[in-house]
Amino acid sequence: MTTITVTTPVKPAARTSASSVVADTFIMSKRNLRRISRTPQLVAFSSVLPISFTLMFRYVFGGSIRIPHITYVDYLIPTMLVLATLFGATTAIAMAVDMNGGMIDRFRSLPIARSAVLAGRTVADLARNALVALLVLAVGALLGFRFHNGFAPAVAGYGLVLAFSYAMSWEMAWIGMKARDAETAQIAAFLPVFIMVFAGAGFVPIRDMPGWLQAFAHVQPISVTINAVRALTQGGAVYHALWQSLAWIVGILAVFVPLAVAEYRKV
């Protein structure tokens, strides 16, 4: 009598050392950047849309909105910097596509650090957002945008935009894995962004809003980050908005990095 032994393939153990995590994250970042460069629609979505918004608000609404002591283009560009990087952070869609396409299952079968897949995705989005933000600044300069608060605060404002976009990328990664399809992920990720941009300090002063909306606009993360970037680039009281924005960044990372990693381990 012949005995047939069936063996179950052993899943390779994930690497956990710090050097392995860094190396795996670097490899995954290169993979994602290469994929972005080969997907023109992603590049177009993250660059053309914010530039179109900038031109529309500058020339359609800029003539009718008056902001004391500041030109409307100087008021507008900090908003578009934050909005452009949030448009660029398509992490939710990318994670949903990778799940449906079987890429996440392939990654999970490799002996790589579990967090490297997510970190590589968010780092790649950060690199793309850095370029998109520079493009928005270049367009803003052509429209008349200028820094009025010195070089160091301008660099700090640019860094704050990227830090906020990086934190939001982790939230979007979690949304993408929860949604599990690109269409749902897109709605779930970007609808709250639109609401907070328009119900905040993005395009008009908060003081012109109804009282009940002002209470929300003064504390929500996108609004306080825009205010902080605006103060850094144009001058004015910056500390209150800056510390609020930094607190939101730390809080978002503290919540959504563990949630995203835990969700990745479940899928």
Side-chain angles (χ1 to χ4, degrees), residues 101-115:
M103 289 301 299
I104 296 297
D105 290 335
R106 296 179 191 178
F107 292 148
R108 286 168 58 84
S109 68
L110 298 175
I112 62 175
R114 296 288 179 258
S115 60

Side-chain angles (χ1 to χ4, degrees), residues 36-118:
I36 290 170
S37 67
R38 294 174 180 174
T39 312
Q41 59 267 33
L42 290 179
V43 178
F45 181 81
S46 61
S47 57
V48 174
L49 193 58
I51 290 174
S52 300
F53 267 66
T54 302
L55 294 173
M56 179 182 68
F57 276 91
R58 169 65 180 87
Y59 290 111
V60 176
F61 300 106
S64 59
I65 299 176
R66 295 287 183 267
I67 312 294
H69 314 300
I70 186 174
T71 65
Y72 190 67
V73 68
D74 285 340
Y75 188 87
L76 175 67
I77 294 303
T79 300
M80 300 318 302
L81 285 172
V82 174
L83 188 57
T85 56
L86 295 180
F87 280 148
T90 53
T91 317
I93 300 172
M95 291 301 298
V97 169
D98 280 349
M99 288 182 63
N100 282 333
M103 289 301 299
I104 296 297
D105 290 335
R106 296 179 191 178
F107 292 148
R108 286 168 58 84
S109 68
L110 298 175
I112 62 175
R114 296 288 179 258
S115 60
V117 175
L118 297 173

Side-chain angles (χ1 to χ4, degrees), residues 28-40:
M28 295 304 301
S29 297
K30 287 204 305 182
R31 176 256 177 189
N32 288 314
L33 285 172
R34 193 178 301 115
R35 180 183 178 187
I36 290 170
S37 67
R38 294 174 180 174
T39 312

Side-chain angles (χ1 to χ4, degrees), residues 162-241:
L162 296 184
F164 184 71
S165 74
Y166 182 71
M168 291 295 291
S169 291
W170 282 95
E171 179 180 348
M172 291 188 179
W174 177 76
I175 289 173
M177 288 184 287
K178 276 291 188 182
R180 296 179 180 271
D181 69 84
E183 292 77 12
T184 304
Q186 184 174 19
I187 295 172
F190 293 109
L191 183 58
V193 169
F194 274 107
I195 293 173
M196 286 191 286
V197 168
F198 284 94
F203 301 109
V204 296
I206 294 177
R207 65 174 180 272
D208 295 337
M209 299 177 180
W212 60 269
L213 187 55
Q214 289 185 28
F216 171 73
H218 276 301
V219 298
Q220 54 106 331
I222 293 179
S223 187
V224 298
T225 300
I226 290 171
N227 276 333
V229 174
R230 190 174 288 139
L232 286 166
T233 59
Q234 303 304 312
V238 66
Y239 298 104
H240 182 66

